Amino acid sequence: MSRRSGILEFAVLGLLREAPMHGYELRKRLNTSLGIFRAFSYGTLYPCLKTLVANGWLIEEPGSAPEDALAASLAGRRAKIVYRLTAEGKEHFEELLSHTGPDAWEDEHFAARFAFFGQTEREVRMRVLEGRRSRLEERLEKMRASLARTRERLDDYTLELQRHGMESVEREVRWLNELIESERAGRDRRSGPETPDNPARQDDRISGDTGGLPRHGGSTRPDPSDDTTK
């Protein structure tokens, strides 16, 4: 399985965990909610869906409105097929969510993983965020070293492009630092005894807690694909 097809399968399973959908709805959600899939086509999506069905992770069902199916039949069109996550598919997706290896913090895969952080355990979120930050810090160090070696040989425009790439990486590192600190603050707040100031310790019971997100208005998420140097 290629890395990109693996990301697509992960995203499809995650979206179908929220609700059953037909192919058009899935493609729209992948394009709008997960921008990394803007360029992919039905020719990419449907083989992925067939593979997931063959693996027993999805089942195909006819559209819910009988009159729609009849109208499609009379018009010579196929009725829409709705894809539903199976119990095995849910279990497989949860296994993927728990994965924190290097693939989880590479550029494209990290964006897909982050999109489903609301369904991810807090400790897993922390490991993915810290891994992504470490990877970007390594990248930034290499970019700075390369720029120092080649600065005198670069024209002004190439130099500005290199600086732009570095600024993009630096911006994402700052954003990750904010997220990590917020996750830690949320974890520390919920790890104490139940008090009026700490009423629920909800992260012990709700894996989809989003208490780690920064709450101030000045922070915006950079586009993980914005860095121009891999």
Side-chain angles (χ1 to χ4, degrees):
M1 180 191 303
S2 70
R3 176 177 295 179
R4 185 164 179 81
S5 64
I7 298 170
L8 179 58
E9 290 187 6
F10 171 83
V12 167
L13 292 172
L15 290 175
L16 291 176
R17 189 187 188 192
E18 299 173 4
M21 301 181 204
H22 55 71
Y24 175 80
E25 290 174 311
L26 270 172
R27 184 171 184 264
K28 184 176 180 180
R29 288 289 305 279
L30 288 165
N31 283 337
T32 57
S33 302
L34 301 173
I36 60 173
F37 296 108
R38 290 188 191 100
F40 92 105
S41 65
Y42 287 113
T44 304
L45 175 60
Y46 282 107
C48 172
L49 291 170
K50 294 299 182 184
T51 297
L52 295 176
V53 170
N55 288 339
W57 297 330
L58 302 182
I59 57 173
E60 297 178 328
E61 299 177 337
S64 58
E67 63 273 13
D68 291 344
L70 177 60
S73 176
L74 293 173
R77 302 191 308 268
R78 293 178 58 189
K80 289 180 179 179
I81 298 297
V82 173
Y83 295 90
R84 182 184 299 274
L85 197 66
T86 64
E88 292 80 4
K90 181 179 179 181
E91 182 179 352
H92 178 62
F93 179 68
E94 289 172 351
E95 290 175 359
L96 295 176
L97 277 181
S98 68
H99 174 65
T100 58
D103 282 352
W105 50 76
E106 294 295 345
D107 291 343
E108 287 190 344
H109 210 157
F110 174 75
R113 286 299 302 269
F114 190 85
F116 294 100
F117 261 22
Q119 303 180 41
T120 305
E121 295 286 348
R122 181 182 297 275
E123 293 304 316
V124 175
R125 295 198 302 256
M126 283 289 291
R127 289 195 293 271
V128 173
L129 290 171
E130 289 172 343
R132 175 67 175 173
R133 181 177 63 180
S134 177
R135 178 58 49 84
L136 290 182
E137 287 173 341
E138 292 173 1
R139 181 183 300 173
L140 192 56
E141 183 177 350
K142 292 178 181 178
M143 293 171 72
R144 287 170 175 161
S146 175
L147 184 60
R149 291 193 306 268
T150 61
R151 181 186 299 272
E152 299 302 323
R153 300 195 299 271
L154 299 177
D155 61 54
D156 291 343
Y157 295 102
T158 305
L159 186 59
E160 283 303 311
L161 184 62
Q162 294 293 317
R163 287 174 176 164
H164 171 69
M166 288 177 55
E167 289 171 359
S168 297
V169 178
E170 289 169 345
R171 185 166 60 250
E172 187 172 348
V173 169
R174 290 194 297 270
W175 171 69
L176 289 166
N177 285 335
E178 291 181 356
L179 286 175
I180 290 168
E181 289 306 311
S182 295
E183 290 282 354
R184 286 174 177 163
R187 179 185 61 192
D188 293 343
R189 176 171 60 83
R190 289 170 175 78
S191 63
E194 188 168 330
T195 68
D197 295 328
N198 183 24
R201 296 184 63 188
Q202 292 183 3
D203 66 323
D204 292 336
R205 300 188 292 273
I206 304 175
S207 65
D209 172 42
T210 56
L213 289 175
R215 296 303 181 191
H216 56 82
S219 176
T220 57
R221 177 191 171 191
D223 183 350
S225 64
D226 192 25
D227 43 20
T228 56
T229 305
K230 303 285 175 115

